[in-house]
Amino acid sequence: FEPIREFALEERDRDPGLREAARYAHAAHYAARAVAFREGPGSAAEREAIAFEVENLRAALAASAERAGSAAAAVALALALDPVLEARGLSRERIAIAASSIAAAERDALPPSSTLAALYVARGRARRLAGELRLAGEDYASALDIARTAGCRLEEARSELWMGELGETEGETVAARGRFARAESIARAL
């Protein structure tokens, strides 16, 4: 099958329009899988399938992040990749992927949403693991603002929880307990 694959790639690469069309079709396919993964039950089999497709997801994310109008796909792909990269200890890549997706969201003026808030939380968690505590706090605060604006109580609770964890790490126990109490209150109301 390798000679057939090589021939197909050569033919595709002769036509820049075809190459770009194939790249964006690939991105659209994997973005749809990422959305289904995020919105589905998240079974172990689905997590393994996502882990197996990391290179395809990275390529799809790169194409989506650079193409105007594809920011929602970039955000979905970044969120699908994040747990896999976290498990592999790739905090710097998580930060870079989230940053490119956030930049795409800003470029395309995506409205506040639970997925955008979740992406800020994911980048904040990666920054926290990388020792960038101030930047992690900024991401958690952005996530909290977005979650409140979007009316997403679950992401609001998650943001409060991670802000509390960060405060506890920094020795701000009283403030952290307040965050934990708010997160618990929101979660109980869901």
Side-chain angles (χ1 to χ4, degrees):
F1 289 108
E2 192 61 28
I4 296 170
R5 181 179 181 277
E6 288 175 10
F7 174 76
L9 291 174
E10 288 172 9
E11 289 298 309
R12 181 203 67 195
D13 289 343
R14 284 189 189 144
D15 180 352
L18 182 59
R19 181 177 52 243
E20 286 304 301
R23 185 170 181 237
Y24 294 128
H26 177 264
H29 168 77
Y30 280 96
R33 287 191 65 191
V35 168
F37 172 74
R38 178 150 168 79
E39 293 175 356
S43 71
E46 289 170 327
R47 284 190 301 276
E48 286 180 28
I50 289 292
F52 184 72
E53 296 288 356
V54 167
E55 293 307 317
N56 280 315
L57 291 167
R58 283 176 174 143
L61 174 64
S64 296
E66 74 182 28
R67 186 176 194 197
S70 296
V75 170
L77 287 157
L79 288 171
L81 268 169
D82 189 69
V84 176
L85 299 177
E86 181 179 18
R88 295 178 182 182
L90 300 173
S91 294
R92 293 284 172 215
E93 184 176 356
R94 292 172 64 207
I95 293 166
I97 282 173
S100 71
S101 299
I102 288 168
E106 291 170 354
R107 176 200 66 221
D108 288 358
L110 282 188
S113 66
S114 63
T115 54
L116 191 55
L119 184 58
Y120 273 95
V121 167
R123 184 172 71 174
R125 291 182 60 217
R127 283 179 162 168
R128 174 162 171 351
L129 289 173
E132 300 172 356
L133 303 184
R134 182 186 57 77
L135 294 173
E138 290 174 9
D139 280 341
Y140 296 151
S142 293
L144 183 59
D145 289 344
I146 291 167
R148 285 179 175 158
T149 300
C152 181
R153 302 289 287 165
L154 177 60
E155 290 304 326
E156 185 179 346
R158 289 181 68 223
S159 300
E160 289 281 8
L161 177 69
W162 286 109
M163 290 175 83
E165 188 273 342
L166 185 60
E168 187 70 36
T169 299
E170 294 177 325
E172 299 170 3
T173 302
V174 174
R177 287 183 182 163
R179 296 265 185 210
F180 292 143
R182 282 191 293 282
E184 182 182 16
S185 175
I186 294 166
R188 287 185 185 275
L190 294 177

